[in-house]
Amino acid sequence: MRNLFLAETCKETQLHVFNPQSWLQVERGKVSNVSSHSPSSIESLIKVAEPPVLPFFKPIDYVEVLAQIHEELECCLPHEKSELYLQQFQVFRGLGEVKLPQSSLRSALEKATTVYEKLIFAAWLKYEKKEEEPISDLLSSCRKCSQEFSILDVASEIPIQASELMNNSLSGEIEKSSTVFFRVREEYIACDRQKIANLSHPFQTMLQGCFTESIQEVIDMSENSISPIGMRAISDFSLFGSLNDSLSVDILLEILVFANTFCCERLKVTCDRKLASLVSSKQDAVELMECALEENSPVLAASCLQFFLQNLADCLQDEQVIRIFSTANRQQRSIMVGHASFSLYCFLSEVAMNANPISDVAASFVEKLVECAVSSRQRQLAFHQLGCVRLLRKEYDEAESLFGSAVAAGHIYSVAGLARIACFKSDKHLSYEMLSTVISSYNPLGWMYLERSLYTEGEKKWENLDKATELDPTLLYPYMFRASYLMKQQNVDAALVEINRVLGFKLALECLELRFCLYLALEDYRSALCDVQTILTLSPDYRMFEGRVASVLLQILVQEHVEQCTIADCWLQLYERWSTVDDIGSLSVIYQMLEMPYAAKGVLYFRQSLLLLRLNCPEAAMRSLQLAREHATSLHDRLVYEGWILYDTGHREEGLRKADESISIQRSFEAFFLKAYAMADSSTDPLCSTTVISLLEDALRCPSDRLRKGQALNNLGSVYVDCGNLDLAADCYMTALRIQHTRAHQGLARVHFLQNNRNSAYEEMTKFIEKARHNASAYEKRSEYCDRELTKADLQMVTKLDPLRVYPYRYRAAVLMDTQHEEEAIAELSRAIAFKADLHLLHLRAAFHEHIGNMAGALRDCRAALSVDPNHQEMLELHSRVNSQEP
């Protein structure tokens, strides 16, 4: 949901009503004073909407919940593990994590014991990785990917029950005719009486019991919806135990219905499996799923489900598919998905809500989720999600009831939904009191103060927003509100400082959009252009102002007021911005270059991907790498980009092979650099350093620009440091600095420190800070080279610039622990843990709890940390030690 919206005069969707050109009336190069803008005109441009109630599972104490889930995983039965990993996934999703939810889904898939869970979690994992679809051809060659996303042989995954294979023959004492004729319409099909009797108890009773049919040689079957072809196939099955491969789907469906009517289990099982192998289109899947649900055919139902889930985007546009999922009753769900109904509708609900949270499809799927919820955590999530859907649909009474049910089940975050509804019903005071009660009843969290701020004004609102940021600096709304408020007060500098606080560590599109508006109001078109180009780099289809205006249109309009550069000018600007570690500025320059008639776009898209990785935008970086691959002008370049794609998606060996293949065609800087980087990162062999050095030296002998040469020199210096060759390392770093690779200051500082010259190390990092202002990592690194008081000051600056960096919290906590301030030390770690599920923070707090004898607290943190990384060796050892001491 967009956080900005237009003034009343701009709410029409027609583009001619919204006229960004009206903001750009000044002549190019002229910038009037901000005082010429009235507060009302600025307010119409800059307005921040209330944040949505998030449709996620957000427990009050996520560490406790993760620990409980981990404990349950330690002692549960194998078939219960996947559901627990799904609950873990929901916790991480509620925390806003990106990689951890995927890890939990992968664990759910690995621990799946039924075909239904395997289908659901494989499809869900594929959906989470949908940005990789354009490179599916490349990833399909990787064994790990092919295993994760391969089509299952459903029939082999569902074992045949022994009862379905039993020979049901009865030994009759009376000699009966060995042949019986079944009349179907005008045809007579000869069958072996004993063989047909063996198909089921009803046939045994009919043909060998006391019924008149037992002595008849001709039995009329015309009223049993079977064709002559179908009856012959049944006769053949009674003799040979198999169905002919040439039988059509229609005939097989006849036989399936016949088998169900006469309880022929072996025939039904065979027919079920035969039909399951014939699902090849969406219409097949729809028609056969309906039949499977009616005839209780689990293998066929699972095969149809697999088709729907593998082609979910297309299938959820089909009303027939939606109807199957939306109307399935409990028995039908059992046939379709076994005991995994909650997992299925959890997945379908997420997909539908991401597409359109107010749609009837989303509502119907989440309603089914509520029906399937059994455990307390399931009910909390389901009631809350349906409450969010009803709230967005303005169905306030239903939403209120659902949020109330979620709170009653233990999901306190749902109070946020109740408060919104009370406000909509004109009881703002009740909304405020609801949140105040939550704050006084539980350990306060950032969202509580953010929500309470919505129901007050003036200083109280400001105080609540400040407290929200203090408790959870990742919340965007407080920064955006303060920035827009300051701008309306014409405090321009303070407004920019405020929005830059969050953009310094979180490149959020809505924050870039707000800053773009601030620059427009200031008529600083060059800065505005930089931000809108960054937005387009991150999300090419992004629309501003609640989706009313395409960003690309605004970029065109603003660009008219900025002097155009030549390709040579752009390269100079790129060198300058790269050297000052201005990553957003560098992205803007590359965007401009990509719009020019420039042949080597592959190179530019590759540089773009490097910047995006540095800015912690992995999805956008992967998209840029894909574009680099598409625009590669030579095979050896394409192989390099493919190598990076494979490396970045976790396929290092395959990435190395691509590098070798590229080198075999042409020796190039990027191919050698890729190989060196991948080897240095993946190999634990000390002898590998020699190979990496050789590869980087080979890279430096190849043609390239100074931006990449500087990076290679910096990496080479790091390898030399690791090998203890400090003089060669210093040479590399100084050479890199001469070509303006500013980050080499950091490496040179490390060399000085290792040479016992701490003051020089500190001075070197100070040079880096002077060139790269507001760089949190620079302050963090400098803190290692000074006395305790200066260290504290630098680390406070780190936390101010980037509160997500965990080292400062750990350092401050360690200092407090050393000075016997145990409670304060634990509180310092808890402050960061409240908004960041970090292994190292949890590990240290667990160790502190163990130190003071709080084994229960230590065990809780160990379990939560192992939820983040179940293979962390030190954490496993601490967990084992603490667990053995827990009473």
Side-chain angles (χ1 to χ4, degrees):
M1 295 180 69
R2 301 284 181 260
N3 280 11
L4 297 178
F5 59 93
L6 299 174
E8 292 296 322
T9 55
C10 301
K11 285 188 176 177
E12 295 297 325
T13 56
Q14 291 90 345
L15 195 57
H16 67 269
V17 174
F18 178 76
N19 183 18
Q21 189 69 43
S22 65
W23 303 339
L24 311 174
Q25 297 299 319
V26 297
E27 295 177 21
R28 186 176 300 159
K30 288 187 177 181
V31 180
S32 59
N33 294 328
V34 71
S35 59
S36 65
H37 294 272
S38 68
S40 61
S41 67
I42 293 175
E43 184 172 353
S44 69
L45 178 61
I46 302 164
K47 198 171 182 180
V48 180
E50 290 181 355
V53 178
L54 300 172
F56 302 137
F57 178 53
K58 293 175 73 68
I60 288 289
D61 186 350
Y62 79 85
V63 173
E64 182 66 36
V65 174
L66 283 176
Q68 289 170 1
I69 293 170
H70 189 275
E71 184 179 9
E72 290 168 26
L73 281 165
E74 290 177 322
C75 57
C76 71
L77 296 172
H79 71 270
E80 298 171 326
K81 287 185 182 291
S82 285
E83 169 57 32
L84 288 168
Y85 279 117
L86 175 57
Q87 293 177 19
Q88 188 185 85
F89 163 86
Q90 298 294 356
V91 176
F92 289 137
R93 175 57 53 85
L95 288 168
E97 296 287 341
V98 177
K99 293 183 179 179
L100 292 177
Q102 284 192 16
S103 177
S104 296
L105 282 182
R106 191 171 291 107
S107 296
L109 177 58
E110 289 170 358
K111 299 299 181 182
T113 57
T114 68
V115 65
Y116 310 110
E117 290 174 332
K118 291 175 183 178
L119 294 177
I120 292 163
F121 292 119
W124 203 334
L125 202 53
K126 181 180 177 182
Y127 174 76
E128 290 288 319
K129 295 182 171 185
K130 57 184 177 290
E131 72 279 357
E132 295 180 4
E133 284 183 13
I135 52 169
S136 57
D137 61 320
L138 183 59
L139 297 179
S140 62
S141 61
C142 303
R143 184 169 176 270
K144 182 180 175 184
C145 276
S146 61
Q147 286 177 333
E148 275 185 4
F149 303 131
S150 60
I151 301 297
L152 286 180
D153 178 2
V154 170
S156 68
E157 294 283 341
I158 300 179
I160 300 174
Q161 301 299 317
S163 60
E164 297 169 345
L165 295 175
M166 286 176 61
N167 189 320
N168 297 316
S169 63
L170 293 172
S171 57
E173 296 180 5
I174 305 172
E175 279 292 326
K176 305 283 195 306
S177 170
S178 61
T179 301
V180 62
F181 291 90
F182 288 102
R183 180 185 175 192
V184 182
R185 299 168 193 167
E186 301 304 320
E187 295 190 36
Y188 294 82
I189 294 91
C191 300
D192 185 301
R193 182 182 294 270
Q194 183 63 51
K195 296 295 185 182
I196 294 293
N198 286 345
L199 290 178
S200 71
H201 285 293
F203 270 129
Q204 286 174 339
T205 304
M206 177 194 294
L207 299 176
Q208 295 181 329
C210 57
F211 287 90
T212 57
E213 287 88 349
S214 64
I215 58 174
Q216 291 178 341
E217 292 191 3
V218 177
I219 300 172
D220 191 352
M221 298 293 282
S222 299
E223 302 300 320
N224 287 284
S225 302
I226 192 73
S227 66
I229 296 174
M231 197 64 224
R232 287 194 189 92
I234 293 168
S235 176
D236 289 343
F237 179 84
S238 72
L239 295 171
F240 308 113
S242 62
L243 291 170
N244 197 301
D245 290 338
S246 64
L247 294 174
S248 69
V249 170
D250 289 340
I251 297 299
L252 288 169
L253 288 173
E254 280 183 19
I255 296 170
L256 180 64
V257 173
F258 182 93
N260 250 346
T261 303
F262 290 95
C263 304
C264 305
E265 288 302 321
R266 287 189 298 124
L267 177 59
K268 178 186 173 182
V269 166
T270 303
C271 198
D272 185 14
R273 290 165 185 266
K274 180 75 72 175
L275 283 166
S277 67
L278 301 177
V279 180
S280 59
S281 70
K282 182 174 64 179
Q283 196 56 39
D284 284 347
V286 168
E287 293 172 359
L288 292 173
M289 176 64 91
E290 290 173 343
C291 178
L293 297 180
E294 188 174 335
E295 300 298 330
N296 190 10
S297 302
V299 181
L300 177 57
S303 183
C304 296
L305 178 66
Q306 175 165 235
F307 188 92
F308 292 151
L309 295 180
Q310 286 290 324
N311 304 275
L312 198 59
D314 178 43
C315 288
L316 288 189
Q317 302 298 316
D318 189 297
E319 291 184 4
Q320 296 178 93
V321 177
I322 293 167
R323 179 176 51 78
I324 288 170
F325 286 131
S326 299
T327 62
N329 59 36
R330 184 172 181 177
Q331 182 182 355
Q332 290 171 329
R333 293 197 299 268
S334 177
I335 297 167
M336 178 169 60
V337 73
H339 296 293
S341 292
F342 185 84
S343 299
L344 173 64
Y345 284 98
C346 207
F347 174 40
L348 294 177
S349 297
E350 176 164 324
V351 175
M353 291 178 71
N354 286 344
N356 183 1
I358 64 172
S359 67
D360 291 341
V361 177
S364 66
F365 287 170
V366 187
E367 284 170 2
K368 287 294 176 186
L369 185 67
V370 171
E371 284 182 29
C372 300
V374 177
S375 70
S376 172
R377 293 185 201 121
Q378 288 178 347
R379 290 197 302 273
Q380 289 178 47
L381 172 67
F383 284 132
H384 178 73
Q385 280 199 346
L386 188 53
C388 290
V389 171
R390 298 297 184 207
L391 178 63
L392 290 171
R393 289 162 65 98
K394 300 183 180 180
E395 299 166 355
Y396 297 134
D397 290 338
E398 295 93 329
E400 185 174 26
S401 174
L402 289 159
F403 284 133
S405 297
V407 173
H411 194 249
I412 305 305
Y413 176 67
S414 296
V415 171
L418 290 172
R420 297 291 178 95
I421 294 166
C423 183
F424 289 139
K425 293 182 177 181
S426 302
D427 198 343
K428 214 171 183 180
H429 177 72
L430 177 59
S431 301
Y432 186 89
E433 288 304 315
M434 284 181 180
L435 272 306
S436 296
T437 300
V438 170
I439 288 169
S440 62
S441 303
Y442 301 95
N443 286 331
L445 297 170
W447 68 260
M448 300 174 184
Y449 286 93
L450 183 155
E451 291 294 328
R452 193 168 73 169
S453 75
L454 303 177
Y455 312 114
T456 185
E457 301 297 335
E459 287 188 12
K460 275 192 173 182
K461 187 180 191 76
W462 203 271
E463 288 169 6
N464 277 278
L465 289 172
D466 283 347
K467 188 66 175 178
T469 299
E470 177 190 329
L471 293 173
D472 187 352
T474 66
L475 296 171
L476 302 180
Y477 176 77
Y479 302 98
M480 296 177 69
F481 177 87
R482 288 188 293 255
S484 65
Y485 177 84
L486 290 164
M487 193 65 186
K488 291 167 196 172
Q489 301 301 311
Q490 299 192 44
N491 194 343
V492 185
D493 292 338
L496 283 171
V497 167
E498 184 62 32
I499 201 63
N500 284 336
R501 282 176 64 192
V502 65
L503 285 170
F505 66 90
K506 195 170 185 178
L507 204 58
L509 290 168
E510 51 265 61
C511 294
L512 282 167
E513 181 179 346
L514 178 56
R515 191 170 71 176
F516 167 80
C517 293
L518 296 179
Y519 284 135
L520 275 187
L522 290 169
E523 296 173 5
D524 182 354
Y525 300 123
R526 186 171 294 281
S527 296
L529 182 64
C530 178
D531 278 351
V532 75
Q533 288 174 335
T534 303
I535 287 170
L536 288 165
T537 300
L538 293 169
S539 181
D541 299 323
Y542 187 80
R543 298 179 69 85
M544 294 193 188
F545 309 112
E546 285 197 317
R548 288 179 173 84
V549 187
S551 299
V552 68
L553 173 62
L554 292 171
Q555 189 250 167
I556 293 168
L557 293 173
V558 174
Q559 203 164 31
E560 293 176 6
H561 294 260
V562 177
E563 186 175 351
Q564 300 302 298
C565 298
T566 66
I567 192 71
D569 293 333
C570 285
W571 274 111
L572 290 173
Q573 286 182 31
L574 186 58
Y575 286 135
E576 179 185 348
R577 296 193 180 198
W578 201 289
S579 66
T580 57
V581 199
D582 178 6
D583 294 334
I584 293 179
S586 298
L587 280 179
S588 173
V589 174
I590 289 177
Y591 187 93
Q592 293 175 53
M593 295 167 78
L594 284 166
E595 290 193 312
M596 298 175 181
Y598 183 73
K601 287 192 175 184
V603 173
L604 291 172
Y605 279 121
F606 178 60
R607 301 298 171 85
Q608 191 180 74
S609 74
L610 299 175
L611 286 165
L612 289 165
L613 280 176
R614 190 184 293 171
L615 288 164
N616 196 28
C617 302
E619 289 186 11
M622 181 55 65
R623 186 172 57 250
S624 295
L625 265 180
Q626 293 163 14
L627 289 167
R629 181 193 183 205
E630 289 175 19
H631 289 85
T633 55
S634 65
L635 177 58
H636 69 269
D637 282 341
R638 180 185 173 91
L639 288 166
V640 168
Y641 303 144
E642 289 180 348
W644 279 113
I645 288 170
L646 290 165
Y647 175 83
D648 287 343
T649 51
H651 308 289
R652 289 173 179 163
E653 292 301 320
E654 291 87 347
L656 278 169
R657 282 198 289 272
K658 291 288 182 180
D660 285 332
E661 196 176 341
S662 178
I663 291 168
S664 70
I665 297 171
Q666 181 170 321
R667 295 166 62 88
S668 69
F669 174 91
E670 293 299 352
F672 282 118
F673 188 92
L674 166 61
K675 186 172 181 180
Y677 193 95
M679 288 191 69
D681 188 47
S682 58
S683 177
T684 56
D685 185 357
L687 298 176
C688 177
S689 297
T690 304
T691 305
V692 172
I693 289 170
S694 175
L695 288 167
L696 287 172
E697 288 174 341
D698 284 337
L700 288 165
R701 293 187 193 101
C702 297
S704 187
D705 59 77
R706 66 190 189 197
L707 296 177
R708 297 297 284 151
K709 294 260 184 177
Q711 184 64 62
L713 286 163
N714 197 58
N715 288 15
L716 183 57
S718 297
V719 180
Y720 278 135
V721 167
D722 293 339
C723 295
N725 199 330
L726 300 183
D727 290 338
L728 286 176
D731 288 343
C732 287
Y733 291 130
M734 287 188 285
T735 304
L737 287 170
R738 280 195 290 272
I739 55 175
Q740 295 184 310
H741 187 78
T742 307
R743 293 177 188 273
H745 283 297
Q746 193 166 304
L748 192 55
R750 186 181 174 200
V751 170
H752 289 318
F753 179 74
L754 292 172
Q755 291 174 332
N756 296 318
N757 193 343
R758 199 173 182 182
N759 289 337
S760 295
Y762 184 86
E763 290 169 6
E764 200 65 45
M765 286 309 302
T766 302
K767 293 176 186 176
F768 184 22
I769 290 169
E770 288 169 354
K771 292 179 182 178
R773 296 172 182 270
H774 310 301
N775 189 290
S777 67
Y779 282 99
E780 185 176 299
K781 183 57 66 175
R782 190 175 72 170
S783 71
E784 299 176 18
Y785 308 133
C786 49
D787 59 40
R788 178 168 286 189
E789 290 307 311
L790 288 174
T791 294
K792 285 181 179 179
D794 273 355
L795 292 180
Q796 281 300 124
M797 179 60 76
V798 174
T799 300
K800 179 181 177 182
L801 294 173
D802 185 354
L804 296 179
R805 298 185 78 89
V806 301
Y807 174 73
Y809 301 100
R810 295 169 62 210
Y811 177 87
R812 289 189 290 264
V815 170
L816 288 165
M817 203 67 179
D818 285 345
T819 55
Q820 284 77 52
H821 293 83
E822 290 94 349
E823 289 186 10
E824 293 92 331
I826 291 171
E828 177 66 23
L829 294 173
S830 300
R831 182 161 71 101
I833 288 170
F835 59 84
K836 186 174 176 63
D838 182 80
L839 172 76
H840 303 292
L841 293 172
L842 288 164
H843 186 185
L844 189 57
R845 192 171 74 172
F848 285 0
H849 280 308
E850 181 194 32
H851 177 74
I852 64 175
N854 180 5
M855 295 304 165
L859 187 58
R860 178 202 61 206
D861 285 351
C862 284
R863 286 171 171 157
L866 288 171
S867 301
V868 174
D869 183 356
N871 300 312
H872 191 272
Q873 191 56 43
E874 290 182 26
M875 201 71 251
L876 288 167
E877 291 170 4
L878 178 58
H879 174 258
S880 177
R881 186 169 69 245
V882 170
N883 203 22
S884 65
Q885 299 176 53
E886 174 69 6

